[in-house]
Amino acid sequence: MTTIVPNLSSSLFERGSLFGATLVASEFDDSNILIWGSRGCTSQVVEAMALQRQQYDYYHFPVTEADLLTNGLSTLKKNLLPMLDGIENCGPFFLFLSDSTLLTNEDLEGFIEGNIRPDYPLIFAETGFKGKMYYGINEAIHSIFKRFATEKVDTIEKRLNIIPAVGLTPDWRGEAREVARIMSSLGYTCHISPCKSSIEDIQKLTEAEATLLVNPNIGEKAAQYLKDRFNIPYFSPKELPIGLVGVENWLNNVADFLDVDSEDIKKIHQKELDNCLVTIRPALREENYNIKVNKIKKSKFIVCDEYNKANSYAKFLVEEVQFDSGYVFYTTNESKKIQDIPRYTEQIDTENFEKLLEKISNDDVIIVLAADCVKDLIPAKHKDKIICVSHPATKQITFVEKTYLGYNGVLHLLEKILNTIVY
Amino acid sequence: MYDTPPSVWKLSELLGWVDNKFLDDSDKSDIENYCSLAGAYDIISMFKDIVPIVHGPISCINSYYSTRIATRFKNQHKPLPISTDMCHNDIIFGAVNKLEKKLKHVDNSCQPKLIVILSSCVSDMIAENIESLLGRNKDKINADLLYIPIGGIGCKGFREGANIALNKLIEYVKSKIGDVVPEKGSVNLFLRRVNSKFSDAEDISEMTRLLKINGIKVNTVVKVDSTYDDLMRLPLAEANITFCYTYSAEVMKRMDELFGQKFSHVGYPIGLKATIDWIESISNLLGVPNRLSQHQIVKEVQSEIEELKEFLSTQLKEKKGYIWHPGEKGLSFVKFISEIGLEPIIIGYTYWCIKTNRETIINLKNQGYDPTLIIRGHTKIWKQNENDYKYAERPILFMPKKFWLGNLPCVDMDFFRDSIMGLHGVQKLIKFIFDLLKEENQRPSSIFNRYYERRFPRANWHGCRKKHKEVV
């Protein structure tokens, strides 16, 4: 019988760059995606669109060996030009190159310049083997900013751009909106993009005072473009706003960047903190609540996520929720390493994920913060302990936006943890 | 709104138009337009004790895995995706060493009986010398090694990839087993090639029961969850049978060449006549008498059909049965609908479906069936029926109810989920229809039935993007 291959478990989490680019492309109104590459690439688009809950709307020219040996561009020209009829009235048209077309190194930029009318909303981005999911997301955001955020308009005071972590969690839109909500309490109006955006939304990016990244791994290249071209500074967080301490630190860092009065920050934090405590307080009288909280103190956790988020969750679980100890498993090697692993937490490499699960006895109470795809890896006895916080959430159905970030996120995560603990 | 009349055809008419290239049947309209690598992966990952390794970028397998393999049912075989994860540097320096490392690791940790290496566009294009690597490691690795060059640019898509992989496996079996004497009166049953369905177990059990009446034994079943040993038993059967009419004809031909096994070329056993035909065709192939056609259970089912036919002829004003399945099963279902005295109409068809199901369509035509097809606009016709007739006089739909909000009698069935083959299948369908027309309240308030049908936006795009957007 074939058994699970332990050190290959990380491959469940990784995705290709075309997948990442599609996550972004499908966030635009009336957008179209054309993949110039071989047939296999389609599956990445299908998965990305399903995760974004978008109806399939993509086109694909299957590139063959003959195309590559002769002249791929002539096939592209033959198929692409009739498609563009009437396209000027639609949303952005993304043209993605994949592995095979990337390998032939065709001069696509030259082709577009020579053949495509400049008023067509065509954007092209290289995906393929050059990188993985993060690369694809960043390339696509950068490409669309570069294509449509071209003219400087008058800066609006206290206006912020927020670049969300597109597709990286089941509720990434909710995360960005929570960040926007917190910033609005400081008097800022926020413009989240890409998030159900249009070409007009991108054109308005240049009116902002600054850009905030929700996740340090997503959007830096695009934010850098806005900075270089329009002198709009950007903020890349050193810590994600997870947990009350995490949000406070994040808020202080943002305040430093935006030059906000620290007294204002204190007031906002205190108000939000009070709200959270007022919400939690009635539960203190419940026996059920107290039993569960006591159980947590003897429990372990496993967090599977990208580097920074995993560490932020671990920090929250150890320091604020007061779990006994836990394990952190990084699902991708691509993310930037900013945050340190907290005390009482053991870092697990991909080789030893299954060994970790073997180490946990039946009597241990564990909570697993991960993508739901780890259900294929973990033993049946722990399957109902998974809280889906991460990508890829292939088996997760989400209708209502609920975030784990920010102040609302603290309550939501706490609620999930307590409901997952059974006694 | 863009108001277009329904597009209604006769099957034979549409076949003629597609054959003469009047319609766009290009593979752009194929919604299953996956890679040949994915087709091969689908086949290899069906078998326990066989591990596929994809030699290419991680994207070649991971998204496909999560949408098509991870969605296999609980407790079914779904080996984790294993890839050499080729990246930018590997394109320049090659990744044979990575593959070697992965081979050794898989051999140690999984202890499979066979490791299959599947190449991708990238490894094919940079001409990785995989065969030489396998030669070097033949004695160092405990498992057998099989290499299938299957990069997407070199082949014609998912179906061809699946055929190539199955052919390679069969050739591997031949190389291991050699010549064997098959057992008289035994057959190998090949299920649908792609993934597994809820109905598999019940369908196999029903058709095995009916074959047994004629003294035919099922040697092995090729499906998800089959083992390496099941695969190795393939040469022991006298013939090969399938449910699907067009199931990899070239694979069946290859089986004949290698093991002298004949292939019973017949469509899905859906409906009484189709079931008897299916059994008869296999019996004839093996030279055994067909006892089933005279069997008491057939007579019982026959009388049930007559009863239903009589009931429908008096009850329905619009004697039509709409089938929402454009594939092989839908075409076979036509026979059952005709059997109960209704006019079969298939909805959701595309020109591409005509091309892929061409052989089955011609077979159906030769048997005297020429159903109506509706390419688009069926909901308009259905709404008209709602206005013209009372509930129990209206035509019957055969489809999952959740995709139709209206109030036509709907046999809420899923062609993949519900077992409808064989005599049990016929009895089940008859019961469904009787129950359906007896029920008074036909509009369940279940939230999952409140789903509006939306036309698949892919089909009608070429050159009229803007108009299309308005329609949707």
Side-chain angles (χ1 to χ4, degrees):
Chain A
M1 285 285 289
T2 307
T3 52
I4 284 173
V5 190
N7 77 340
L8 300 165
S9 47
S10 69
S11 61
L12 273 178
F13 305 95
E14 296 271 22
R15 289 292 182 274
S17 53
L18 178 57
F19 171 90
T22 309
L23 288 176
V24 174
S26 57
E27 270 310 291
F28 286 88
D29 286 348
D30 201 10
S31 69
N32 298 283
I33 302 166
L34 173 68
I35 307 129
W36 189 37
S38 44
R39 287 168 201 260
C41 311
T42 313
S43 55
Q44 296 183 63
V45 177
V46 170
E47 193 196 10
M49 285 190 155
L51 281 176
Q52 296 283 51
R53 282 175 280 136
Q54 302 288 353
Q55 202 163 16
Y56 296 170
D57 203 355
Y58 63 89
Y59 316 101
H60 189 198
F61 308 147
V63 170
T64 62
E65 262 172 339
D67 292 328
L68 298 174
L69 290 171
T70 51
N71 181 1
L73 283 176
S74 64
T75 320
L76 179 69
K77 188 174 178 181
K78 193 176 127 203
N79 286 288
L80 177 66
L81 295 184
M83 273 191 167
L84 297 176
D85 181 25
I87 208 76
E88 64 273 29
N89 301 316
C90 299
F93 191 108
F94 290 87
L95 171 58
F96 293 136
L97 275 71
S98 77
D99 295 328
S100 47
T101 40
L102 212 56
L103 264 170
T104 54
N105 207 13
E106 304 276 11
D107 178 20
L108 194 65
E109 219 161 350
F111 166 80
I112 290 174
E113 223 175 276
N115 292 280
I116 310 292
R117 271 172 37 195
D119 61 328
Y120 283 156
L122 189 78
I123 302 120
F124 88 96
E126 291 180 346
T127 59
F129 53 79
K130 279 198 169 176
K132 290 184 191 158
M133 185 172 72
Y134 287 88
Y135 176 83
I137 298 174
N138 284 323
E139 279 299 301
I141 300 178
H142 176 243
S143 304
I144 195 157
F145 279 20
K146 209 172 127 191
R147 173 72 179 80
F148 296 114
T150 47
E151 281 171 38
K152 179 70 183 160
V153 287
D154 292 341
T155 303
I156 298 176
E157 204 185 339
K158 292 215 159 191
R159 173 94 166 161
L160 286 179
N161 295 324
I162 293 180
I163 302 183
V166 185
L168 288 189
T169 59
D171 49 11
W172 63 270
R173 295 185 192 94
E175 286 176 358
R177 287 191 185 119
E178 173 66 3
V179 168
R181 189 188 69 81
I182 297 171
M183 293 316 296
S184 69
S185 59
L186 287 168
Y188 284 89
T189 55
C190 297
H191 178 95
I192 306 168
S193 199
C195 177
K196 307 267 183 204
S197 307
S198 62
I199 291 175
E200 290 73 32
D201 291 333
I202 300 297
Q203 285 162 346
K204 282 181 196 161
L205 287 169
T206 57
E207 66 194 21
E209 264 184 5
T211 304
L212 289 190
L213 310 186
V214 173
N215 184 314
N217 300 297
I218 297 297
E220 192 155 11
K221 192 173 176 186
Q224 187 65 46
Y225 163 78
L226 294 178
K227 189 182 174 188
D228 295 345
R229 179 95 190 253
F230 305 107
N231 202 22
I232 300 173
Y234 70 91
F235 171 75
S236 176
K238 290 192 176 65
E239 187 170 352
L240 294 185
I242 292 172
L244 291 171
V245 177
V247 188
E248 192 183 6
N249 292 342
W250 176 85
L251 209 46
N252 286 329
N253 291 334
V254 174
D256 284 349
F257 166 73
L258 293 173
D259 206 14
V260 178
D261 187 351
S262 61
E263 282 306 309
D264 288 350
I265 297 294
K266 270 184 196 161
K267 271 186 214 161
I268 296 292
H269 180 67
Q270 196 53 50
K271 193 180 155 201
E272 294 279 358
L273 191 64
D274 289 346
N275 280 344
C276 287
L277 297 178
V278 162
T279 313
I280 294 170
R281 196 172 298 133
L284 291 170
R285 296 187 205 105
E286 283 181 40
E287 187 60 17
N288 178 33
Y289 173 85
N290 293 324
I291 294 171
K292 288 189 176 200
V293 169
N294 284 330
K295 273 245 171 208
I296 286 177
K297 288 177 183 162
K298 294 167 194 156
S299 306
K300 291 181 167 52
F301 63 83
I302 300 173
V303 179
C304 309
D305 211 322
E306 53 137 307
Y307 195 91
N308 297 308
K309 251 171 78 196
N311 287 356
S312 294
Y313 277 124
K315 204 168 170 186
F316 170 63
L317 296 174
V318 170
E319 291 175 8
E320 296 184 59
V321 191
Q322 296 197 321
F323 271 84
D324 175 40
S325 60
Y327 306 92
V328 177
F329 171 80
Y330 304 124
T331 54
T332 170
N333 297 322
E334 269 199 304
S335 58
K336 263 194 209 169
K337 296 184 178 178
I338 292 173
Q339 290 162 319
D340 292 331
I341 188 164
R343 287 170 63 207
Y344 309 113
T345 308
E346 194 179 326
Q347 182 182 338
I348 304 300
D349 57 23
T350 55
E351 304 275 342
N352 291 313
F353 188 66
E354 204 188 50
K355 284 179 193 158
L356 158 72
L357 296 167
E358 282 166 9
K359 260 193 338 198
I360 294 168
S361 77
N362 274 346
D363 300 330
D364 282 334
V365 182
I366 65 157
I367 296 286
V368 184
L369 266 63
D372 56 6
C373 65
V374 296
K375 279 185 184 166
D376 290 341
L377 296 174
I378 72 170
K381 63 183 184 235
H382 298 314
K383 275 196 201 303
D384 55 351
K385 310 283 174 52
I386 297 174
I387 299 175
C388 184
V389 297
S390 174
H391 162 88
T394 40
K395 291 174 185 168
Q396 191 78 10
I397 309 286
T398 315
F399 293 128
V400 182
E401 279 174 8
K402 273 192 170 181
T403 174
Y404 294 113
L405 247 61
Y407 294 104
N408 286 338
V410 174
L411 292 175
H412 183 212
L413 189 53
L414 215 47
E415 182 187 285
K416 278 271 183 187
I417 290 170
L418 290 169
N419 287 329
T420 311
I421 299 260
V422 285
Y423 60 90
Chain B
M1 280 293 281
Y2 210 58
D3 195 21
T4 49
S7 170
V8 184
W9 304 70
K10 274 304 206 192
L11 182 65
S12 54
E13 187 188 6
L14 198 58
L15 183 68
W17 278 60
V18 169
D19 277 356
N20 287 299
K21 302 278 171 213
F22 291 137
L23 302 169
D24 177 18
D25 64 351
S26 63
D27 56 4
K28 287 195 296 256
S29 59
D30 180 10
I31 58 166
E32 295 290 336
N33 193 5
Y34 282 114
C35 185
S36 47
L37 166 65
Y41 190 87
D42 218 77
I43 290 290
I44 307 295
S45 65
M46 283 182 355
F47 300 96
K48 291 173 181 170
D49 303 320
I50 301 181
V51 175
I53 298 180
V54 176
H55 187 42
I58 206 153
S59 54
C60 284
I61 190 56
N62 272 19
S63 289
Y64 179 75
Y65 176 87
S66 66
T67 47
R68 297 291 288 258
I69 308 293
T71 50
R72 283 178 184 167
F73 305 125
K74 204 177 165 185
N75 301 329
Q76 276 189 326
H77 183 56
K78 31 187 168 183
L80 287 172
I82 303 173
S83 160
T84 49
D85 189 11
M86 288 175 78
C87 54
H88 212 172
N89 279 357
D90 300 322
I91 309 299
I92 301 159
F93 301 110
V96 175
N97 291 345
K98 260 183 161 177
L99 178 60
E100 190 170 14
K101 205 174 150 198
K102 197 121 290 194
L103 272 175
K104 285 176 183 165
H105 176 75
V106 167
D107 191 42
N108 286 333
S109 55
C110 303
Q111 293 157 1
K113 292 180 178 167
L114 173 66
I115 300 174
V116 180
I117 294 106
L118 302 167
S119 68
S120 65
C121 296
V122 172
S123 52
D124 281 357
M125 282 175 82
I126 62 168
E128 290 274 87
N129 193 352
I130 297 171
E131 267 158 359
S132 139
L133 169 78
L134 298 192
R136 283 202 310 272
N137 283 281
K138 209 176 166 187
D139 299 329
K140 296 177 197 161
I141 305 267
N142 294 322
D144 287 345
L145 299 172
L146 182 65
Y147 168 50
I148 307 181
I150 198 87
I153 45 159
C155 306
K156 287 180 186 158
F158 185 86
R159 294 170 181 85
E160 189 181 323
N163 287 345
I164 290 173
L166 201 49
N167 265 339
K168 283 274 186 187
L169 279 184
I170 289 159
E171 282 162 13
Y172 165 78
V173 172
K174 175 71 180 175
S175 71
K176 290 289 281 187
I177 302 283
D179 293 327
V180 288
V181 182
E183 190 185 344
K184 278 272 170 203
S186 69
V187 290
N188 298 318
L189 174 60
F190 289 75
L191 257 61
R192 265 178 66 88
R193 219 173 22 194
V194 247
N195 234 324
S196 63
K197 304 294 168 202
F198 274 126
S199 55
D200 280 356
E202 218 176 310
D203 286 337
I204 295 167
S205 132
E206 167 64 357
M207 298 321 291
T208 309
R209 174 183 80 104
L210 298 178
L211 285 169
K212 212 172 165 185
I213 291 172
N214 282 2
I216 299 166
K217 186 188 148 196
V218 174
N219 171 54
T220 187
V221 182
V222 176
K223 62 177 181 61
V224 172
D225 271 355
S226 294
T227 62
Y228 176 87
D229 295 337
D230 291 335
L231 187 71
M232 298 314 259
R233 273 210 310 278
L234 278 177
L236 298 175
E238 202 184 337
N240 294 312
I241 60 172
T242 64
F243 288 145
C244 189
Y245 184 76
T246 47
Y247 186 97
S248 344
E250 52 186 282
V251 173
M252 293 300 139
K253 202 174 147 199
R254 191 79 185 121
M255 297 276 283
D256 190 7
E257 284 166 9
L258 292 174
F259 307 118
Q261 292 167 330
K262 299 294 171 209
F263 166 47
S264 163
H265 205 46
V266 61
Y268 275 103
I270 297 172
L272 180 63
K273 187 176 178 303
T275 302
I276 294 173
D277 286 351
W278 192 80
I279 298 283
E280 191 173 279
S281 153
I282 296 162
S283 304
N284 290 344
L285 192 74
L286 299 175
V288 297
N290 183 12
R291 294 186 212 118
L292 181 74
S293 52
Q294 299 306 317
H295 202 282
Q296 184 57 27
I297 53 170
V298 169
K299 287 174 188 159
E300 282 166 21
V301 175
Q302 181 68 54
S303 71
E304 285 179 44
I305 288 182
E306 290 305 324
E307 196 188 332
L308 176 68
K309 204 171 162 181
E310 176 65 27
F311 173 71
L312 292 177
S313 69
T314 53
Q315 186 86 6
L316 301 189
K317 288 271 166 45
E318 187 80 12
K319 295 182 182 50
K320 286 174 181 167
Y322 287 89
I323 308 160
W324 191 20
H325 190 283
E328 287 254 345
K329 264 193 176 175
L331 289 168
S332 299
F333 204 75
V334 163
K335 296 178 197 171
F336 171 73
I337 300 291
S338 306
E339 239 165 35
I340 59 172
L342 301 181
E343 184 198 339
I345 301 170
I346 306 180
I347 59 164
Y349 235 81
T350 66
Y351 310 140
W352 168 258
C353 292
I354 294 284
K355 196 172 170 181
T356 51
N357 293 320
R358 197 173 176 282
E359 268 187 69
T360 317
I361 291 168
I362 291 171
N363 179 39
L364 199 68
K365 254 182 68 187
N366 292 342
Q367 291 178 38
Y369 299 97
D370 192 7
T372 303
L373 305 182
I374 301 184
I375 301 282
R376 77 169 177 270
H378 55 272
T379 47
K380 197 175 278 183
I381 298 173
W382 290 354
K383 277 176 189 157
Q384 189 58 46
N385 286 152
E386 278 188 354
N387 296 336
D388 293 350
Y389 307 108
K390 289 179 194 160
Y391 170 74
E393 297 171 349
R394 294 170 190 162
I396 301 177
L397 316 181
F398 295 85
M399 60 185 284
K401 174 75 180 143
K402 65 183 174 184
F403 293 114
W404 165 240
L405 195 70
N407 200 16
L408 256 57
C410 179
V411 177
D412 187 4
M413 57 177 281
D414 184 320
F415 282 87
F416 297 119
R417 196 187 58 213
D418 297 315
S419 164
I420 49 170
M421 289 189 208
L423 302 182
H424 280 168
V426 176
Q427 287 172 315
K428 205 187 285 179
L429 285 166
I430 291 172
K431 189 174 176 305
F432 273 157
I433 299 170
F434 271 126
D435 290 348
L436 175 76
L437 295 177
K438 279 173 195 165
E439 278 176 34
E440 286 305 310
N441 181 9
Q442 291 303 319
R443 196 162 180 173
S445 57
S446 159
I447 199 160
F448 299 109
N449 288 340
R450 294 170 185 268
Y451 179 92
Y452 283 98
E453 189 225 25
R454 290 190 66 180
R455 190 155 59 82
F456 197 83
R458 177 66 189 88
N460 199 17
W461 183 79
H462 203 80
C464 54
R465 180 75 218 161
K466 189 165 175 269
K467 286 175 188 167
H468 167 70
K469 285 284 175 185
E470 284 166 7
V471 180
V472 173

